[in-house]
Amino acid sequence: MAAAAAALEPWRAAAPRRRRSAARRPRTRPAAAAGDPEADPEVDIGVVLRRIREAREDLRVSDFWSSALETINRCLRKHPEQLDAPVGTLSEAVGSLHLDSSPDDSGVAPGCIPGETLAAGTCGWKCVCYGIGNFATCVIARNQLAFLLLFLEKSQIPRSHCWVYDPLFSQLEIAVLTTLGVTVLGENEEGKRSVCGQPTIFYMLHCGTALYNNLLWSNWSADALSKMVIIGNSFRGLEERLLTRILQKNYAYVAQILEGLEEQKFPQTAQYSDVFNDTSVHWFPVQKLKRLPTDTWASREEPDYRDCEDLEIIRSQGDAVAGELVAKSRGLLPTGT
């Protein structure tokens, strides 16, 4: 099984580095959490699904869930209010979302997890999730996955319209995700996925800055960016923590888009402070994008991280050029997990 997993996943995880603030510290993984979940004979698909179901129900009845969903709702409502959106932009699709923070109206039978929960085709949105981690053994990763599943239900995005990838996934976790009905990507996209004209929500909690930079590069136009929502690390936080010269040199697309985005921080509660720390909802109003200097869109050079010193990225064996992004800096692992 391990050999099959290695063949499917060419990425290799690099050891996390110590960070200077709580919002940036990488998750500390005990031996059990860092290892292959399949090494534990007590963990199987049924056990993992039960743990996800329990995490989902705990989250669903929490104050954090209703507050977080209202934050996303507020962002999506605010987007069309502040621009005269041309046909085909994100605001055109906002009306197809049906978000409701009520804890008892999920529309599925209690305890139901696997497969589709809502009829396909009820919403034109897509969802892409990068870097969720080893949810079979890590409570933080499991809560992040539970949030994603709840969000898909509330927004009526069919699970088959959600693509998921992490270099840390074991074969067991891939099997669990397949059972849940989401689409597991089979190759490393390095974050370079275009929205292809479709409104898309990117769920990228505690990912490396290069991943966000690559995503922006792949959608570097006002039309494409206006169709995106990113739920992930606070871009304002990145601006505050990184030296300006480092941000502009190594993550040029993040640096250039700071004046063209709107951002709303997730609520913070003690129960989920380690799971969603430094998380914000980001969207890109057309009017703001149009106010950026015209030469902003002139350069479309693909990011090159070979000379970066402080970078959450490694290179695949046998390929000195192609960099492969590593899932790192995904929050704090609570004691006793």
Side-chain angles (χ1 to χ4, degrees):
M1 181 73 75
L8 180 62
E9 306 294 347
W11 293 5
R12 299 174 57 221
R17 297 188 299 276
R18 187 178 299 277
R19 299 287 182 109
R20 289 177 291 185
S21 66
R24 300 180 66 209
R25 285 200 298 268
R27 178 182 301 151
T28 304
R29 299 177 186 270
D36 187 343
E38 295 160 326
D40 186 351
E42 300 299 321
V43 177
D44 58 23
I45 290 181
V47 170
V48 177
L49 287 172
R50 175 179 57 79
R51 291 174 179 174
I52 294 171
R53 180 171 60 249
E54 292 171 352
R56 172 184 170 276
E57 290 308 306
D58 288 344
L59 177 63
R60 189 170 64 88
V61 298
S62 69
D63 292 337
F64 171 81
W65 165 248
S66 57
S67 298
L69 197 61
E70 175 55 31
T71 298
I72 299 173
N73 255 328
R74 187 163 57 248
C75 293
L76 293 176
R77 289 195 302 264
K78 188 176 179 181
H79 183 278
E81 290 174 359
Q82 61 187 344
L83 55 88
D84 295 323
V87 174
T89 60
L90 181 62
S91 63
E92 189 180 61
V94 168
S96 64
L97 284 176
H98 304 281
L99 298 180
D100 189 334
S101 60
S102 302
D104 57 355
D105 64 348
S106 63
V108 295
C112 222
I113 277 285
E116 292 289 354
T117 58
L118 289 166
T122 58
C123 174
W125 287 73
K126 309 296 183 185
C127 183
V128 178
C129 171
Y130 292 129
I132 210 163
N134 288 127
F135 57 84
T137 53
C138 177
V139 171
I140 288 179
R142 189 153 56 247
N143 281 322
Q144 291 174 352
L145 176 58
F147 186 99
L148 175 64
L149 294 174
L150 272 178
F151 177 74
L152 293 176
E153 289 177 6
K154 295 297 184 179
S155 59
Q156 299 191 16
I157 300 176
R159 291 185 185 176
S160 60
H161 291 181
C162 178
W163 289 263
V164 183
Y165 188 82
D166 193 302
L168 302 180
F169 284 156
S170 66
Q171 287 294 311
L172 170 62
E173 287 164 332
I174 291 174
V176 169
L177 291 168
T178 300
T179 301
L180 289 172
V182 299
T183 303
V184 182
L185 294 169
E187 62 181 30
N188 169 14
E189 296 182 335
E190 299 183 356
K192 300 171 183 176
R193 171 177 280 254
S194 170
V195 299
C196 297
Q198 297 177 308
T200 305
I201 295 172
F202 289 88
Y203 185 73
M204 305 167 58
L205 305 188
H206 303 154
C207 290
T209 309
L211 200 65
Y212 299 102
N213 197 55
N214 282 356
L215 177 63
L216 293 173
W217 168 76
S218 297
N219 296 277
W220 199 242
S221 71
D223 180 67
L225 290 174
S226 69
K227 294 180 174 66
M228 291 172 50
V229 170
I230 300 175
I231 302 176
N233 297 4
S234 167
F235 280 29
R236 298 301 177 190
L238 293 174
E239 181 184 23
E240 292 173 0
R241 292 190 295 266
L242 292 175
L243 293 175
T244 300
R245 62 178 179 82
I246 297 297
L247 185 64
Q248 293 177 346
K249 177 184 177 183
N250 296 344
Y251 312 109
Y253 293 99
V254 173
Q256 292 180 83
I257 207 58
L258 289 173
E259 298 304 317
L261 64 79
E262 291 286 339
E263 174 178 331
Q264 180 69 49
K265 291 184 178 181
F266 256 28
Q268 290 298 304
T269 62
Q271 183 179 4
Y272 294 103
S273 60
D274 293 343
V275 182
F276 300 100
N277 59 302
D278 196 40
T279 299
S280 291
V281 184
H282 309 79
W283 71 103
F284 308 89
V286 170
Q287 283 188 349
K288 277 202 165 189
L289 296 175
K290 287 182 176 180
R291 287 199 295 265
L292 294 176
T294 55
D295 60 356
T296 298
W297 313 107
S299 175
R300 289 293 305 275
E301 184 176 354
E302 184 171 359
D304 183 350
Y305 304 110
R306 286 175 295 183
D307 298 327
C308 295
E309 296 179 359
D310 184 19
L311 183 70
E312 291 162 8
I313 193 170
I314 60 173
R315 309 195 184 284
S316 59
Q317 289 183 326
D319 189 345
V321 178
E324 297 208 316
L325 296 163
V326 180
K328 298 174 64 178
S329 304
R330 298 179 189 151
L332 307 173
L333 188 61
T335 303
T337 301

